Amino acid sequence: MLQITVEHKDRAHGASAEIKIAKLSLIDLAGSERVGATSSSGLRLDEAKFINSSLSALGKVISALSEEAPSHIPYRDSVLTWLLKVLQAVM
């Protein structure tokens, strides 16, 4: 995971200027592929299963967030979605 934070302060407003903060988080999902098509085995197979599971959990979170009044957002289903919640809380 790579996280880039950018802070911006408008110099035209001097010392009273508001500081704007933007964060960009990049997560490498290399290895997310169709397991059956690649004939993976061993550690590579385990990694592909883990990544695919995380992507499935991410889809569930995005689906829940898109609902008008979500009753539950399953952030705890994977590390990837847990990080999403943590990053969302910080922003």
Side-chain angles (χ1 to χ4, degrees), residues 17-33:
E18 178 182 355
I19 297 175
K20 295 181 181 179
I21 300 172
K23 291 187 179 188
L24 173 66
S25 300
L26 303 172
I27 299 174
D28 180 17
L29 297 174
S32 60
E33 63 235 356

Side-chain angles (χ1 to χ4, degrees), residues 16-84:
S16 64
E18 178 182 355
I19 297 175
K20 295 181 181 179
I21 300 172
K23 291 187 179 188
L24 173 66
S25 300
L26 303 172
I27 299 174
D28 180 17
L29 297 174
S32 60
E33 63 235 356
R34 294 177 188 226
V35 176
T38 61
S39 302
S40 298
S41 62
L43 291 176
R44 181 166 269 198
L45 176 62
D46 292 340
E47 179 183 6
K49 286 180 186 177
F50 180 74
I51 291 171
N52 289 335
S53 173
S54 292
L55 289 174
S56 177
L58 179 60
K60 290 177 185 177
V61 167
I62 291 170
S63 178
L65 288 171
S66 68
E67 293 177 7
E68 192 168 320
S71 59
H72 172 69
I73 301 173
Y75 286 114
R76 292 185 178 185
D77 287 358
S78 78
V79 173
L80 177 64
T81 54
W82 179 82
L83 283 172
L84 177 65

